[in-house]
């Protein structure tokens, strides 16, 4: 067994990355007419793409199924071993079947392939051996042959599974382009995740739950302090008689005013407010609000309508609660 001092860990890691990078680069030559046929077969089917495999290839198949489903292409996973023990019923007449295998010669694959062929489904073989049983029996071949595994014994699936993964991603992205899959579509399939929230959650979904502190430009200092304290946002908007935003007053503005030693009994809101505060419209994406808060290093934005009417505040804490940070 090699000791930690006997190997150069960085060199091993760099060699692994280099070999897998070569495997990925070699795939460019394998994006051929069969690749195009495979994508079109999946795009044009009225059924689903059923993806099967055994061992590490089965794990790649599951990842590809997840990617396809999340990007608008219906897909299901069928484990090759389970398929020949009752799960073949998952395959419907209009489905396209893809089997992923490095060798194309696994016993389970050899049993499964004739059964799929008997069903009459289009069979795509993603295979690392184009002379294999799987390749010979497939209607369409996706070649993921690699020259060498990153494993020092050239045995453990490393470069080969990376090639399968990238080829699968190339299929998924091609299908996204064909379907015109948009960020709005992505959000529909990811409503509960952070990615989805970044694409659909809007300021109006958040600010309406907050207090809406507001004073007039002629409000006294006492009224300003009471409003800030009562609404507990550390700030208040200053508006005119038509609810148009004139400025804001924050806790910081009050502290700076006190440092000036000016008579407090005559101070009114317009004398201490900050003009041209940072704002955002209610229909803006919440992630846009986050970008503005970060850009200006502040904790809240004033929410306004298109004509400048004051609506409320969105706070950094609102975005934290939604998991956007």
């Amino acid at each position: 067994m090699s000791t930690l001092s006997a190997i150069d860990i960085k060199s091993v890691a760099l060699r692994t990355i280099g070999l897998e990078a070569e495997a990925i680069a070699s795939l460019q030559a394998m994006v051929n007419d069969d690749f195009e046929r495979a994508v079109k077969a999946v795009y044009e089917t009225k059924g689903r793409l059923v993806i099967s495999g055994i061992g590490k290839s089965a794990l790649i198949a599951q990842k590809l199924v997840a990617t396809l489903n999340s990007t608008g292409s219906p897909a299901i996973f069928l484990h090759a071993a389970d398929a020949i023990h009752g799960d073949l019923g998952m395959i419907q007449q209009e489905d396209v079947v893809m089997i992923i295998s490095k060798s194309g010669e696994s016993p389970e694959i050899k049993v499964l392939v004739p059964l799929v062929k008997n069903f009459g489904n289009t069979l795509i073989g993603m295979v690392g051996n184009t002379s294999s049983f799987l390749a010979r029996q497939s209607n369409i071949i996706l070649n993921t042959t690699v020259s060498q595994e990153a494993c020092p014994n050239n045995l453990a699936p490393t470069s080969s599974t990376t090639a399968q993964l990238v080829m699968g991603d190339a299929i998924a992205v091609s299908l996204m382009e064909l379907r015109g899959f948009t960020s709005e579509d992505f959000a529909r399939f990811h409503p509960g995740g952070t990615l989805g929230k970044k694409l659909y959650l809007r300021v109006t979904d958040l600010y309406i739950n907050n207090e809406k502190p507001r004073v007039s430009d002629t409000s006294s200092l006492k009224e300003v302090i009471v409003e800030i304290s009562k609404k507990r946002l550390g700030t208040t908007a200053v508006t005119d008689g038509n609810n148009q935003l004139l400025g804001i007053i924050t806790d910081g503005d009050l502290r700076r005013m006190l440092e000036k030693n000016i008579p407090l009994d005559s101070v009114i809101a317009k004398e201490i407010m900050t003009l041209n505060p940072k704002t955002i419209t209610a229909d803006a994406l919440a992630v846009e609000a986050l970008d503005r808060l970060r850009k200006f290093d502040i904790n809240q934005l004033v929410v306004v309508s298109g004509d400048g009417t004051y609506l409320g505040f969105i706070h950094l804490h609102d975005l934290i609660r939604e998991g956007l940070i």
Side-chain angles (χ1 to χ4, degrees):
M1 180 182 293
S2 298
T3 63
L4 204 57
S5 59
I7 64 171
D8 184 341
I9 294 175
K10 290 182 180 179
S11 295
V12 172
L14 291 172
R15 183 184 70 229
T16 302
I17 294 170
L19 288 170
E20 297 204 9
E22 289 176 14
I24 294 172
S26 68
L27 289 180
Q28 296 180 65
M30 301 172 191
V31 178
N32 50 23
D33 291 343
D34 261 16
F35 177 87
E36 188 173 349
R37 287 175 59 208
V39 172
K40 287 182 176 178
V42 178
Y43 176 69
E44 293 171 357
T45 185
K46 295 179 181 178
R48 308 151 301 174
L49 177 60
V50 180
I51 310 180
S52 186
I54 196 79
K56 304 299 186 297
S57 295
L59 299 176
I60 299 300
Q62 291 179 70
K63 187 275 177 186
L64 179 53
V65 165
T67 298
L68 289 167
N69 281 324
S70 70
T71 53
S73 296
I76 60 171
F77 170 69
L78 174 63
H79 195 281
D82 293 335
I84 61 179
H85 290 285
D87 282 1
L88 272 174
M90 294 170 61
I91 302 176
Q92 302 299 304
Q93 184 177 2
E94 294 182 329
D95 291 341
V96 173
V97 179
M98 178 189 293
I99 298 177
I100 303 177
S101 173
K102 178 189 175 183
S103 69
E105 298 285 351
S106 301
E108 295 86 353
I109 299 299
K110 286 187 173 182
V111 175
L112 175 60
V113 167
L115 298 173
V116 174
K117 297 281 284 184
N118 287 338
F119 288 166
N121 299 82
T122 297
L123 176 60
I124 302 171
M126 183 186 293
V127 63
N129 178 2
T130 56
S131 300
S132 66
F133 176 81
L134 175 58
R136 293 194 306 271
Q137 296 297 318
S138 295
N139 302 110
I140 304 171
I141 299 173
L142 297 174
N143 187 357
T144 53
T145 301
V146 298
S147 59
Q148 182 181 348
E149 297 286 9
C151 162
N153 299 312
N154 196 28
L155 293 173
T158 44
S159 299
S160 59
T161 48
T162 299
Q164 293 168 350
L165 186 66
V166 174
M167 184 67 82
D169 284 344
I171 292 170
V173 174
S174 296
L175 289 167
M176 288 177 67
E177 293 278 356
L178 283 173
R179 299 185 192 284
F181 195 82
T182 65
S183 58
E184 287 76 15
D185 295 320
F186 189 89
R188 287 194 299 112
F189 290 117
H190 298 75
T194 299
L195 288 174
K197 286 184 178 182
K198 288 183 177 180
L199 294 168
Y200 78 82
L201 193 67
R202 297 190 179 274
V203 171
T204 190
D205 299 318
L206 301 178
Y207 90 88
I208 58 173
N209 299 314
N210 294 332
E211 296 282 1
K212 299 173 178 57
R214 178 178 61 187
V215 296
S216 71
D217 57 341
T218 58
S219 294
S220 68
L221 178 58
K222 179 180 179 180
E223 291 172 323
V224 170
I225 293 174
V226 169
E227 184 70 0
I228 292 176
S229 299
K230 182 179 178 182
K231 301 300 174 61
R232 295 181 296 180
L233 287 178
T235 185
T236 182
V238 181
T239 63
D240 64 15
N242 295 317
N243 202 31
Q244 293 291 297
L245 181 67
L246 301 176
I248 63 170
I249 301 173
T250 67
D251 287 337
D253 292 324
L254 295 177
R255 288 192 297 271
R256 285 185 289 273
M257 176 204 65
L258 292 174
E259 291 173 355
K260 296 178 181 179
N261 294 318
I262 59 176
L264 302 182
D265 54 352
S266 61
V267 173
I268 58 175
K270 67 179 180 181
E271 296 173 341
I272 56 174
M273 69 182 182
T274 298
L275 299 172
N276 302 314
K278 301 298 184 291
T279 63
I280 194 164
T281 57
D283 60 352
L285 288 170
V287 70
E288 294 178 30
L290 177 59
D291 289 340
R292 288 182 65 80
L293 291 174
R294 284 173 168 168
K295 179 180 179 181
F296 297 109
D297 193 23
I298 54 179
N299 292 326
Q300 64 267 321
L301 294 167
V302 187
V303 183
V304 295
S305 64
D307 63 359
T309 300
Y310 167 68
L311 299 175
F313 282 88
I314 184 168
H315 197 280
L316 180 63
H317 292 161
D318 302 324
L319 304 173
I320 293 175
R321 280 195 300 271
E322 293 297 329
L324 294 181
I325 299 177

